[in-house]
Structures are given as C-alpha cells and as structure tokens.
Amino acid sequence: MSRPKPLVAALAVATIAATALSACSSSSAKKTNGGTGGGTGGVFTSIDANNKITAGAPMNPYNAAPNMFLGYNIMELGFTKNDPADPNALLPGLAASWTASDTGLTIQLQPGAKWSDGTPVTAADIKTSLAIAYTQGTAGPVAGAGGTVVAGSNFEVSDVKDLGGGKIEIDQQPGVKNLYFQRLVLTSTIVNDKVYGSQLPADIWTQIAAVQGTDAAAASAASTKLAAEGKTIAAFAPAKDISAGPFVETRVNPGEALLDRNPYFYAASKISPKQVILRSYSGNQQIWGYMNGGELDYAPYTSMPTNILNQVLKAGYTRIDAPSYVSASIAFNEKQAPYNLTPVRQALAYVIDRDAVTKVGEPVGGIAAPTTTGLVGSQSDTILSADQKAALNPYKPDPAKAASLLQGAGFTKDASGQWHLPDGTPWKITLQTVNGFSDWIAASTIVANELTQFGIPTTAAITADFATYQKEMGAGKYAVGWWLVALGPQTDKAYARIYGSADGFSVANGQATHNDSAAGNWEHTPATYTVNGQSINPGQLAAQLSVTPVSAQGPIIAQLAAATNQEVPMIQIWNYTHVMFTLDKRFTNYPKTGQDDLLANPPGVWMMQGYVQGK
Amino acid sequence: MTGFARRLAGKLLAGLVMVWVVVTFTFFLVHALPGKPGDVQYEQYIMMGMNSEQASAKVQAVYGFTSHAPLLSQYTGYLGKLAHGDLGQSISYSGVPVSHLIWSALPWTVIPVLSGLLVSFLIGVVAGIFAAVKRSSRWGGLLTVSGSLVAGVPAFVLALLLLVVFHTEWNLLPDAGTSDIQYTPGWNLPYIGSVFQHAVLPVCTYALLSYGGWLLAMKSSVVSVLGDDFILASELRGITPVTRARYIGRNAILPLFTVLALSFGVMFAGSFFIEDTFDYPGLGNLLLKSIGTRDYPVMAGAFLLITVSIIIANILADLCYTLIDPRVRR
C-alpha cells in the first residue's frame, strides 16, 4: 500500500501550482467572458450553430463535419437573399456581378479578389470548385440510390471558360433548363485550385461530359467514378487554411475556432474585427449562459422560453427578426386508420388551438400558423390572391365542427365523453416527438391536453434521437408525429417536401409517378385529390413547379395550397421566425429587422458589406 | 513458471476472451441501433434547400465511408483490422482515423477524471474514517449526511449547479472548453493556467460526485473493522491508539482499493453528463456525439477502449491485492 505522505505532498504542490497558474491567467477568463473590446482590431465572438467544432477535423468545406465557416473562411460567388419572390436574387460574394443567359452565366470576379496567401482568385479556382461540386451531389446530374443519373433536377455545368479580366463564362448543358441554375452556381463553395486541384483526376471534365452524354453505360460508369472521387475530396485534409474570405483560420480548440483577419481580402478595409472566435455549443442552455454573461456579439436563434428572452434582453441584447421558411406541423400516416379519413384530419385541425400551442412550444421564435397550405404564412400571403386566401379554411378552434365531422364519419362518443372509432374501439392517439426538440416536446403536452379534453385520450411519446425518428417514421411506425414542412423559399421544394419521396412520388424528366409502396413513403396520401370538383395530382404539380418560372407559379401554388388546406395531410402548427440577437457593446452597426437579404446570411457576410464596426 | 506468472497468464487469457466477447457484442449492438449515419444530416440538407435527390447524393458523398457489405463480413473485416491495431475511419468526420479522434479526446478525460478521483478518494477516505470513529457525534452525523446527499445528486444537476453559481452568477470560472483559444497551446504559463482554470469545474464535479461514495464505503468498512476481534484484542493488550488506527485503516481500506482500481478503468468512459455540460471534449463527449450520428467505428473504438481499460484495471487490482493483502497469497 502506498504511503500517503508523499502523495499528499504532491497534491499540495499541484494545488499551489494550479492556484498560481490560474492567477497568471486570471485575465483570460475575464477576457472571454467580457470580450476584448470593440474598435478596429477587436475580437468578434459568436456561435457556429452548424458545426461541432472539433480539433483534428479537416479544414475542408466538403467534409461531413468541417472546421470551416460560411462567410468567414468559406466563400461563395454570391450569397442568398432568401427572397421568396426571386430565389435567384443574391448578394455579391467573390463575384462582383453576373449576367444570366439562355446558355448559362457570365460572372465578373471582384477586382482584387485574393486568397489569404496573397495569390489572386482565378478562373481555375472556379472551374475546380464547380467540378468538385459535381462530385458532392450539390451540382450536376446526381446519382440516385441505384447509381442512376437523375438529370434535370440540378444545374448541369458543362464548361467553365476564362474570358480574361476576371470575367468567367459558365455554360449550362445544352438542352437542360433549370430555374435555379444561377442560384446553384453562385452559391457553390469556392476553393483554391492549388490546394484542391491535385485531388481531382486530370480528366474530370471528360467524366462530366460523359455523365451529360447520351451513352447511358458511359454516363453510369462516369457517375460512379465521380461519386468515388467525391469521397476522396470529402476525406482530404489540407495542411492549412487558404481562404478567399474576410478571415482565415488560425487555430482550433475542441469546441472553439480562432480566425484572423485576411489582409488580402478584396474588401479588407470594410472588415472591422481583427479576430473572430466561433464556438460550438452542446445545448441551448449554454448559449443562454453565454448571452447572460454578455459574451457573444452575435447569437443565432435557439429555442427559448419567455423568461430567458427577458433575461437576454436585460443583458443588453437586441432581438432581430428575419423570415424563416420552416413550419412545425403534426403529420399523419394515412395508412393507419382512422387518419386515412379526411374528416378525421380536419376534425383534429379544429380541435387543436394553434395559438395556445405556440405560446407554450415556441413563444419567442414561432408565429401560430394562420392555416395549413404547405407554405409559411408570409409566403402564401404574398403569392395567393385575396379570393384564394378567402377560400382557405382557417380551421379556427371549433369543437362543435370537429364533433360534427367525426359523427359524419361514423365516430361515436360515449357517456364519459370519449370518442370511439366507427368499429366501436375507443380512439386513443400517441403523438410522437423527438428527444432534444424542446419546443415540440413542450407543445405536445398542450396538444395532448386539448385532444384529451375533447375526448380523444392522447399521450406524447418521445423517440430517443432524430436518426431513430427518421428511421421509424419511414418504416410507418408512427401514426401521428411532428414534422417540419414549408421549407423554402423555393416553393417547389416546399411542396416536394410534402408531395415528394416522403409521399411515394418520384420525379423523372419532369414527370411524377406515385408508388404507395416506395421506400421512404410514410405519408401514404392518395395519388390524386379532388379539389373544387377537379382531380389534381399534387406530386405532378410539385414537379411542375420546379420547371415553372417564379412569375408563372401562382396558379399551380393556388391549386396545391387549396388541396393541402382541404386534405390536411399535416396540420401546420406554427411558422418559425428567424430570431437572432446582437450585442451593441463592443461592435455596432448591425443589420436591423427588415434587412432580410443580409439577415439570411451569417455575420461574416454582413461584415463584407461594411456592417459590424467596432465601437 | 512461478505462481505469480501462472496467475498473470491466466488472467490475461481470460481478459483476451472477455475483450473478444465484448467487442463482438458491442459491434452487433451498435449496428442494431435504428437509423443510419447521415439520417440527421439528410434532414439538415433538405432544410438547407436541397431536393431529396441532392440531399441523398450529398449524404452519399460525405458519408461515403459507410460500408454496405453484409454485417458478418463487416465484422470479420473489423476484427482483422483490429488485430493490426486499426480502428477504422470515422463516418461523421469523413476519413479521419478513429484512433486520432480517440487519442485527441483521451487526455481531456483522463486528466480531470483522475484528478477528481484522487481528490475525492483522499478526502472521502479521511472523512469516512472520521465519520465512523465519531459516528455518535454531531460531526460524524453531518459528514454521513453530506456523503449521502452528494452521492444522491445526479451528475448533470450538480454540474449545472456549479455552472450557474461559478460562471453565470459569479463569473469566476470559464464554463466550457479546455482553454482560452487566444493562447497558443504549448508549455507556456498563460496556456497552462487557462487549462487549469477550465478544468476546475469539471474536476470539482467529478470529485464531489464520487466523494460521497468513498466516504460512505469507508465509514461502513471502518465500522465493520471496529467490531473485529483483533481490535478488541489490541485494546486489551494496550496497543497505542495510533497503532490501532493504522490497523483499522489498513484493513478497512482493502475493499475500497479494489473499487479504486476499477474506477481507474471506468474513468476512460468519462462522464457523458459532465463533459456535455461543460462542453469538455473528452471520451464521454465523443461517444455521445458518435451515438447521435451513428458513427459506428467511433462508437466501437470508444467501447473497446473502455472495455480494455476496465479489464486491465481488474487484472491489476487482482494482482495488487495479492501484494497488499498477505492473506490472499496463502
């Protein structure tokens, strides 16, 4: 047995050393807790909500979990404005301007665009980046589950030509039309050819040409090769960060990244912070804690109750609201009775008080959905005419109407007030939600109370994690559960979310086919609806949206909105608002509510435009 | 072969068999988890505006390290690689070796847990002896209550409590991470000081959580030894209280020593809740993340490390026990 005395002595020494060392660095805690002051050269601190910053993960934007940050050291040719009227509208990035034509796009690079090693951004960088995009599934013909090339659903870049003077022509595959070609090309990540070019085979553009060719066998072989090359790119770990953005990565600690200002950035004079610290977070409470201590200059939205919002505002933060294109909904598996009956879904929509549920589930970042259309309220308000909006059923809480609908469908209510299915079985609902989704979980308790009070005993069940939820939902295990819909601002994507693969629709060459037994189909709605006396195919209409110019989409959207409103494949409960917080203490001149184009992007993009200046 | 060597060889062989059993069990267990790598990421890509084909292709590209071979063939392949010390590549950090992730996380678990363990053991044992000897006094009672109290508090509650008091309210200590990123890592005072500062709350949480267990175990053990005949005999023979205390201490600490040795093995599992609360990038945190992302190779690697360390600790505890307790050798 060891003698205690030396051990005690060693511990005493260690304790004294720890105290001394802590004293040496006592300013460090104050520094991070209170920030380093603004002014030019200050440190801007924020949270990166997308990445779990991990020491050792590659500085490669194509990796699954990269230590790279959009708008800081990841650059695009342009940045989204999230404009529902024109998804192709973008803010300038590495491209100062662009002109679209029938055959593609011509861009003009920013004068003086340079990498952080001082070398200029060239056409070769753009060409390499767009070739890599092909291998990552974000561009070009995409290999489907069986390796089949799915053409027409993406931008098909066929060539990139250097016209000199920073002008670059990007050609689209002849004969292919994609409404969002401009958006998809310009929002591709641009990387350095000298770093990434060697990761690509010399014949990459020959492979791309083969994929776009008419020889199906050659296209399939080339597609397989591209997919394999994509994996090589994803695993690549550059030795250091070479950035064309306003910042370049200096160091990564577990959970934290330090970026220094890039002196070669084309608009370096507009960038006020000398350094940026980005933190990852393990839970909402952590962000609330940071904000209570005034540690963050910018905080992305995290679900929070009203009392926390008040604390955060008291700590000096300003709330900024921007549009968000996500809606929380309660969706149904129509393969499970009685949810295959439209009156049942409509009745449930009448029972659930969306205002009351939103007040509990998402009081800060949610607005109760005005009704169910498949789009967020602000978007459907903009697109639909006054008559079309008036024709929508708002499903205001009305238990009498709900009861009437159920009685009409053969349901009965017993003396105790409980509803029974037409076959006499007592009707019970299990409302499924996911661990970690605190807003859904809180809202579920209210929904369960409302339904139980109405006479349908309802319990909220929680799935362990989202991967399991996806798996079990796809396997048809849940009859009623939470789901995110109205993902925009591209309306075709919003409707493809409802009438796409999750509903057994697949699209090829602009034609949608419906297969009720298709893998991943968990909604099981019918292939057609009858709306206002007309038979419509929602999957086909959603596919049609993707090839219809935004200006001509109105009539299709009106049909889809009316069908969704009538058939209620899901009940939209609330539409999320993109709430974020800024601290006007060390930095000032932040974008404000209403500047939606800027607010659709991270603060690095604001800085490029001259915002976020030191105090 | 000496008796000791024979005993060692037997235990090593049994340990190897146990490792194989656990490796096999965990391999199939983690693959039986519902969901697959990329499921969550797929949803995020959809929310970012990709259509389902694009999102699937992107998931295929970035999670392309997922094997589609039959499970049995994956298992034999895994065992073969394991025999060569290769734990495979991470799925969620496409292409990064699992061993790299584990080695990066290891120090951030071992240092705070070891510190917390030793501090709590020393304080708990001393307090346990005191609580046993003075069990009828108010102080003895208070110590026992304090032990029961902290032993019963869940880890995440204690961690959150310390976080709120020492960071949110008083702002004395940093709340997350391992050091201030503005200091260059290395053997320089500001960086090392910052590491110490960041470790204070996790170490205190570990120490407080296990202190109660040591105290109660030691108290119970001492009370039991106090009733032994040899203590009565030593009193009757007039042996000094100091010598008697040594007898008591040596005999009472034996059961705790086994637990301590096993705790060294268990420590490699870190603590999910503590590391998660303080965003401390140790093995527990890594394992938690890998479960969420269905990163099978990382999960299997972390479980393997935990298993092997517990088995080694067990073997060492057995062997050391023979050294410290002569009765076992007979």
Side-chain angles (χ1 to χ4, degrees):
Chain A
M1 205 187 315
S2 60
R3 292 183 183 279
K5 276 181 186 170
L7 191 56
V8 170
L11 276 169
V13 170
T15 309
I16 291 164
T19 312
L21 287 164
S22 294
C24 286
S25 65
S26 61
S27 60
S28 70
K30 295 244 164 50
K31 202 185 289 176
T32 43
N33 292 340
T36 54
T40 301
V43 180
F44 181 84
T45 306
S46 183
I47 292 283
D48 184 77
N50 299 318
N51 287 333
K52 285 283 177 200
I53 301 168
T54 303
M59 289 183 290
N60 169 357
Y62 305 108
N63 192 268
N67 289 324
M68 297 289 282
F69 311 96
L70 182 67
Y72 297 100
N73 63 342
I74 293 181
M75 279 301 278
E76 298 174 348
L77 292 167
F79 293 96
T80 184
K81 284 185 175 179
N82 252 358
D83 182 348
D86 182 7
N88 278 323
L90 298 161
L91 290 167
L94 276 176
S97 59
W98 49 86
T99 318
S101 69
D102 285 346
T103 57
L105 195 64
T106 303
I107 63 164
Q108 176 66 53
L109 285 179
Q110 292 280 2
K114 283 183 179 172
W115 297 99
S116 51
D117 64 358
T119 58
V121 176
T122 65
D125 298 320
I126 311 301
K127 192 165 185 172
T128 293
S129 304
L130 293 180
I132 290 176
Y134 253 95
T135 69
Q136 299 297 308
T138 52
V142 170
T148 319
V149 173
V150 181
S153 57
N154 299 281
F155 78 92
E156 287 81 10
V157 175
S158 60
D159 202 2
V160 178
K161 294 173 190 153
D162 185 1
L163 304 181
K167 196 168 269 191
I168 299 164
E169 183 184 303
I170 299 159
D171 296 335
Q172 189 172 16
Q173 184 185 342
V176 171
K177 289 285 169 212
N178 186 320
L179 290 177
Y180 307 114
F181 180 77
Q182 177 174 310
R183 176 189 172 91
L184 289 165
V185 169
L186 293 175
T187 56
S188 290
T189 299
I190 301 301
V191 292
N192 190 305
D193 173 59
K194 290 191 294 296
V195 177
Y196 285 84
S198 58
Q199 301 299 309
L200 289 173
D203 68 341
I204 183 81
W205 284 96
T206 312
Q207 289 178 35
I208 290 170
V211 166
Q212 295 175 355
T214 49
D215 182 340
S220 178
S223 179
T224 307
K225 275 179 86 175
L226 283 172
E229 284 148 12
K231 289 172 192 171
T232 309
I233 295 279
F236 174 53
K240 66 176 205 172
D241 184 25
I242 295 186
S243 159
F247 296 91
V248 61
E249 196 165 303
T250 308
R251 188 159 50 245
V252 174
N253 272 3
E256 217 171 14
L258 178 70
L259 294 94
D260 281 314
R261 192 162 51 200
N262 172 12
Y264 296 105
F265 180 59
Y266 64 82
S269 61
K270 289 182 179 170
I271 309 299
S272 175
K274 184 187 172 194
Q275 288 182 315
V276 167
I277 291 176
L278 294 170
R279 296 173 177 172
S280 61
Y281 69 106
S282 57
N284 290 347
Q285 290 91 340
Q286 201 177 356
I287 295 193
W288 304 342
Y290 286 145
M291 290 170 81
N292 277 332
E295 295 171 44
L296 302 176
D297 296 295
Y298 164 83
Y301 178 67
T302 47
S303 190
M304 61 173 67
T306 311
N307 63 322
I308 298 291
L309 172 70
N310 293 336
Q311 279 179 28
V312 162
L313 295 176
K314 204 173 158 192
Y317 282 87
T318 304
R319 169 184 171 154
I320 307 173
D321 287 16
S324 170
Y325 298 95
V326 187
S327 182
S329 68
I330 292 175
F332 303 100
N333 175 356
E334 295 186 24
K335 209 159 195 171
Q336 293 193 29
Y339 309 102
N340 55 326
L341 302 172
T342 303
V344 167
R345 301 191 300 274
Q346 290 174 331
L348 293 176
Y350 277 119
V351 176
I352 296 169
D353 181 344
R354 299 185 297 273
D355 280 314
V357 175
T358 306
K359 269 181 196 156
V360 173
E362 196 57 67
V364 177
I367 297 170
T371 186
T372 292
T373 62
L375 299 176
V376 295
S378 57
Q379 201 172 18
S380 57
D381 273 356
T382 313
I383 296 169
L384 300 178
S385 69
D387 287 348
Q388 288 162 347
K389 279 186 271 186
L392 295 173
N393 185 344
Y395 293 104
K396 289 218 181 301
D398 190 337
K401 267 190 187 169
S404 158
L405 279 164
L406 292 176
Q407 279 158 355
F411 286 68
T412 51
K413 202 172 183 181
D414 65 20
S416 70
Q418 179 170 356
W419 285 95
H420 290 249
L421 300 174
D423 67 2
T425 319
W427 184 11
K428 288 179 184 172
I429 292 178
T430 301
L431 175 58
Q432 203 72 30
T433 181
V434 192
N435 182 31
F437 285 57
S438 56
D439 51 352
W440 291 4
I441 293 168
S444 292
T445 59
I446 304 301
V447 174
N449 278 345
E450 289 176 351
L451 292 174
T452 304
Q453 275 182 13
F454 178 71
I456 312 167
T458 302
T459 48
I462 300 177
T463 306
D465 60 29
F466 199 80
T468 309
Y469 191 70
Q470 286 271 92
K471 169 89 175 172
E472 294 187 336
M473 181 183 262
K477 199 171 168 187
Y478 312 140
V480 186
W482 287 89
W483 200 40
L484 295 173
V485 295
L487 311 178
Q490 290 159 258
T491 51
D492 62 314
K493 296 206 169 27
Y495 281 112
R497 172 72 168 178
I498 306 167
Y499 306 114
S501 57
D503 196 18
F505 285 100
S506 57
V507 181
N509 302 319
Q511 290 298 311
T513 50
H514 187 260
N515 174 7
D516 193 50
S517 58
N521 175 11
W522 61 267
E523 289 182 77
H524 300 289
T525 75
T528 56
Y529 289 145
T530 302
V531 184
N532 301 325
Q534 275 191 322
S535 175
I536 68 153
N537 179 331
Q540 181 56 43
L541 286 174
Q544 208 176 320
L545 271 181
S546 67
V547 290
T548 305
V550 173
S551 57
Q553 286 180 346
I556 304 172
I557 293 171
Q559 287 188 70
L560 282 167
T564 308
N565 182 258
Q566 175 192 290
E567 294 297 327
V568 209
M570 78 288 158
I571 304 166
Q572 281 175 254
I573 304 294
W574 65 74
N575 299 316
Y576 284 95
T577 308
H578 187 196
V579 182
M580 53 199 109
F581 297 92
T582 55
L583 185 65
D584 203 25
K585 185 174 160 191
R586 296 175 285 272
F587 293 91
T588 186
N589 191 29
Y590 292 99
K592 294 181 172 52
T593 298
Q595 292 178 276
D596 297 344
D597 49 355
L598 277 173
L599 295 172
N601 293 287
V605 178
W606 309 350
M607 294 176 196
M608 292 177 207
Q609 313 293 327
Y611 287 86
V612 191
Q613 293 296 316
K615 276 185 118 174
Chain B
M1 195 185 266
T2 64
F4 179 80
R6 233 186 354 261
R7 223 169 19 245
L8 179 64
K11 285 191 185 303
L12 284 177
L13 190 67
L16 271 176
V17 172
M18 219 180 300
V19 167
W20 172 73
V21 169
V22 174
V23 161
T24 304
F25 180 70
T26 50
F27 180 88
F28 288 105
L29 187 72
V30 297
H31 281 78
L33 280 175
K36 53 183 188 295
D39 274 359
V40 177
Q41 200 60 44
Y42 171 86
E43 193 69 8
Q44 283 179 356
Y45 290 143
I46 292 281
M47 286 180 67
M48 285 159 67
M50 291 184 192
N51 60 37
S52 55
E53 288 84 8
Q54 281 178 315
S56 297
K58 180 80 178 154
V59 165
Q60 272 192 345
V62 296
Y63 291 92
F65 298 86
T66 316
S67 174
H68 298 292
L71 201 55
L72 200 62
S73 141
Q74 285 186 49
Y75 169 68
T76 51
Y78 175 67
L79 280 189
K81 282 185 181 171
L82 207 58
H84 293 88
D86 181 2
L87 296 176
Q89 289 186 333
S90 163
I91 293 170
S92 52
Y93 299 94
S94 33
V96 178
V98 170
S99 52
H100 177 80
L101 290 173
I102 288 179
W103 280 118
S104 302
L106 199 59
W108 303 116
T109 284
V110 170
I111 295 169
V113 181
L114 190 61
S115 313
L117 192 62
L118 290 177
V119 168
S120 65
F121 182 76
L122 284 175
I123 298 176
V125 163
V126 172
I129 294 171
F130 188 81
V133 174
K134 301 281 182 188
R135 58 189 180 280
S136 307
S137 76
R138 188 196 302 169
W139 288 109
L142 269 177
L143 274 175
T144 307
V145 169
S146 77
S148 306
L149 210 65
V150 289
V153 178
F156 72 93
V157 172
L158 189 62
L160 276 176
L161 195 70
L162 292 179
L163 191 65
V164 168
V165 173
F166 290 98
H167 176 73
T168 310
E169 292 301 321
W170 295 344
N171 199 14
L172 289 175
L173 291 163
D175 66 329
T178 55
S179 65
D180 188 328
I181 194 159
Q182 287 174 282
Y183 296 123
T184 311
W187 293 105
N188 58 77
L189 268 185
Y191 174 72
I192 296 170
S194 180
V195 169
F196 267 83
Q197 258 191 335
H198 282 73
V200 170
L201 286 181
V203 169
C204 286
T205 314
Y206 284 122
L208 277 171
L209 279 174
S210 44
Y211 148 82
W214 295 126
L215 182 146
L216 296 176
M218 191 61 187
K219 182 191 166 190
S220 158
S221 190
V222 169
V223 168
S224 158
V225 171
L226 284 173
D228 282 352
D229 292 343
F230 77 93
I231 297 294
L232 183 63
S234 64
E235 272 181 26
L236 293 174
R237 286 183 186 177
I239 291 174
T240 63
V242 174
T243 310
R244 237 177 25 242
R246 208 166 63 233
Y247 290 168
I248 295 167
R250 279 191 169 178
N251 282 280
I253 207 164
L254 283 175
L256 272 76
F257 186 80
T258 312
V259 181
L260 180 68
L262 287 176
S263 300
F264 285 124
V266 174
M267 118 186 127
F268 286 92
S271 166
F272 301 128
F273 297 119
I274 295 172
E275 290 182 5
D276 192 49
T277 305
F278 296 110
D279 212 4
Y280 216 68
L283 280 170
N285 212 337
L286 180 70
L287 188 56
L288 208 60
K289 278 187 209 166
S290 65
I291 292 169
T293 54
R294 301 293 188 270
D295 196 336
Y296 304 130
V298 174
M299 272 191 268
F303 282 131
L304 177 71
L305 178 73
I306 294 164
T307 307
V308 169
S309 56
I310 290 173
I311 290 170
I312 290 174
N314 207 356
I315 292 170
L316 288 178
D318 272 2
L319 295 175
C320 290
Y321 214 82
T322 60
L323 298 177
I324 59 174
D325 187 354
R327 290 171 297 181
V328 178
R329 268 175 279 176
R330 282 199 291 270

